[in-house]
Amino acid sequence: MDINSALQALRDPLGVPFFPWVFQLLMVLTFALHILFVNLVVGGLALAVYEHFKGGDFNLRLSKALAQVSTVNLSVAIVLGVAPLLFVQVIYDPFWYASNSLSAWWAMAFLLVIALGFLATYVFYLKRKKSPQGYGLFGVSGLVFVLCAGIIISALSVQALVPQKWLEWYSANGGLATTGTSLYHFEIGRFSHFIVPAFINIGIFMMLYAWYFRPRADADAAYLDWVGRSGAKMAKIAAMIQVVVGFWWLLTVPADLHFMRNPFLWIGASLGLLLLVGLMKAESAPDRYAIPMALLSFVAILGMGTAREALRMAYLGVFDYSIYTYPLNIDWGSTALFLVTFVMGLVVIAYPMTVAFKLGRGTLTES
Ligand code: HEM
């Protein structure tokens, strides 16, 4: 049996319940949101720990704020991870399940690692004042656990792209490797490309922080100036590193995929470069650039997510595999239910978010 026939046989015989391109679009969008919050957690925790150990008035205030927001961002990152998880399981099921079965032990350990990361982050946030050095280690552990979770999910994602290797992994050493205890394929360049932006996005978050708290009557201008400027500077340096990391990863992508000629790659890369140019200007006026840079960064992440999906299609195109040929078995009921609950969810969440935004900023007025 050739690989394409095997992949077709692994597809859900019931087909997909709606047009695959709709799932693909939603997958890219929700992945972009997921990785944005992953970035905010990784960058936020790393900086919270750094400022915690460095000490000093401004540093400790920033560390506390970042530790607190990291607990929230971690919850949001996890919730937003579920959406692309569902979509990838619908349209790329042969790949996702094969990769997860090959490394089943790791797929299960992923959940434990996330839970430990969550716990450690909370202990760091709530207890760090009691014994600054001791509890600081919980912050370090939180960061390590979160990074481990990222490494596992990245390996599972990459293993899914190379079906030509599955048989070799499954039949290692002449026997059947059914324990699922091995992680087979991890690309440090690819992983770094998704994690280095943590420092771009937490830098932009700090610019937003300064912009957000500025109108409050009790705002400390000197502190906010420091936070905004440090954030803009960090974001700029991280964006420079990201350009280098991007090209480093690109050089490791197999040449026979002809990814260098893919327009989505260059659109994503151009958006990244545009962000770098914006960040170079932002240092002089972080408050003014905070919103435009946040928007531009999200667009760049969307571009990166689209390029990532184009790369997946290039990998799987080698086996003549396309999600667009997935048998279609349209289920209007479940699709309508999904869309209605999705829109209702957005409406329900919009009101408390607006009130919380105004309350925190001190701009809520009685009407
Ligand atoms: C908080 C710790 C987490 C970190 C650091 C993290 C990091 C990452 C990274 C770096 C990627 C890109 C992988 C690649 O393409 O090489 C990724 C993808 C993904 N993550 Fe997360 N993640 C975390 C938590 C989660 C959780 C809890 C879920 C699910 C509930 C999740 C679901 C996904 C999915 C579905 C993908 C895309 C898989 C694909 O398209 O092949 N992640 N994550």
Side-chain angles (χ1 to χ4, degrees):
M1 190 187 256
D2 63 76
I3 292 180
N4 181 276
S5 315
L7 293 171
Q8 301 295 333
L10 283 169
R11 279 176 161 179
D12 185 344
L14 288 177
V16 283
F18 207 62
F19 302 104
W21 64 266
V22 175
F23 291 119
Q24 188 180 34
L25 218 75
L26 289 170
M27 186 179 65
V28 170
L29 175 67
T30 52
F31 171 74
L33 288 166
H34 167 63
I35 208 74
L36 169 64
F37 279 89
V38 163
N39 276 187
L40 292 176
V41 172
V42 172
L45 264 179
L47 206 62
V49 167
Y50 172 76
E51 301 293 1
H52 173 83
F53 283 116
K54 196 169 178 207
D57 179 29
F58 285 179
N59 308 69
L60 289 177
R61 277 160 73 180
L62 179 62
S63 173
K64 180 185 169 200
L66 290 176
Q68 183 174 16
V69 83
S70 294
T71 59
V72 179
N73 285 338
L74 186 51
S75 320
V76 180
I78 293 171
V79 170
L80 287 172
V82 177
L85 186 62
L86 298 181
F87 294 126
V88 83
Q89 286 171 358
V90 173
I91 51 176
Y92 288 112
D93 50 340
F95 305 91
W96 187 251
Y97 288 120
S99 174
N100 276 248
S101 309
L102 278 161
S103 301
W105 194 90
W106 290 94
M108 300 300 286
F110 174 74
L111 303 173
L112 180 69
V113 169
I114 294 271
L116 290 174
F118 212 81
L119 213 64
T121 304
Y122 256 102
V123 174
F124 173 56
Y125 165 57
L126 293 173
K127 301 276 187 184
R128 70 198 183 289
K129 269 199 206 142
K130 287 205 169 164
S131 151
Q133 296 307 313
Y135 282 103
L137 291 181
F138 278 92
V140 177
S141 322
L143 180 62
V144 171
F145 282 127
V146 165
L147 286 174
C148 284
I151 289 172
I152 297 174
I153 201 97
S154 187
L156 293 175
S157 302
V158 178
Q159 287 176 190
L161 301 176
V162 284
Q164 71 276 26
K165 297 204 176 151
W166 295 345
L167 193 61
E168 177 194 321
W169 293 337
Y170 191 58
S171 56
N173 306 322
L176 289 185
T178 54
T179 58
T181 48
S182 298
L183 261 193
Y184 296 95
H185 199 49
F186 172 69
E187 291 180 6
I188 181 79
R190 179 176 173 127
F191 181 68
S192 312
H193 184 256
F194 291 116
I195 293 299
V196 170
F199 297 94
I200 304 179
N201 288 308
I202 203 66
I204 295 175
F205 177 86
M206 286 160 66
M207 290 160 63
L208 284 169
Y209 177 96
W211 164 83
Y212 177 74
F213 285 113
R214 188 82 61 189
R216 276 175 69 130
D218 58 352
D220 176 345
Y223 169 64
L224 293 180
D225 287 346
W226 175 76
V227 173
R229 252 184 294 109
S230 316
K233 187 173 174 192
M234 186 171 56
K236 180 189 75 178
I237 296 171
M240 289 173 177
I241 297 174
Q242 173 70 352
V243 173
V244 179
V245 169
F247 282 103
W248 171 45
W249 174 34
L250 198 57
L251 291 176
T252 65
V253 171
D256 55 344
L257 300 182
H258 307 296
F259 193 52
M260 293 270 192
R261 285 192 242 142
N262 196 304
F264 289 108
L265 163 69
W266 296 110
I267 293 171
S270 309
L271 288 168
L273 284 174
L274 202 64
L275 180 65
L276 173 60
V277 173
L279 287 170
M280 283 179 154
K281 296 187 168 189
E283 229 177 318
S284 56
D287 282 22
R288 186 150 55 86
Y289 279 91
I291 297 276
M293 287 304 103
L295 292 175
L296 184 54
S297 180
F298 185 63
V299 175
I301 294 175
L302 262 181
M304 185 176 83
T306 310
R308 173 178 177 272
E309 180 59 11
L311 179 61
R312 171 161 30 207
M313 291 170 74
Y315 265 105
L316 307 187
V318 171
F319 310 102
D320 286 331
Y321 188 91
S322 163
I323 54 164
Y324 305 127
T325 60
Y326 213 119
L328 199 57
N329 188 8
I330 292 196
D331 180 351
W332 288 104
S334 67
T335 305
L337 188 69
F338 166 74
L339 288 177
V340 169
T341 47
F342 180 64
V343 173
M344 267 171 58
L346 289 182
V347 173
V348 167
I349 226 168
Y351 180 70
M353 293 265 286
T354 312
V355 173
F357 179 88
K358 289 187 173 177
L359 260 179
R361 212 174 186 213
T363 53
L364 192 69
T365 49
E366 273 187 53
S367 55

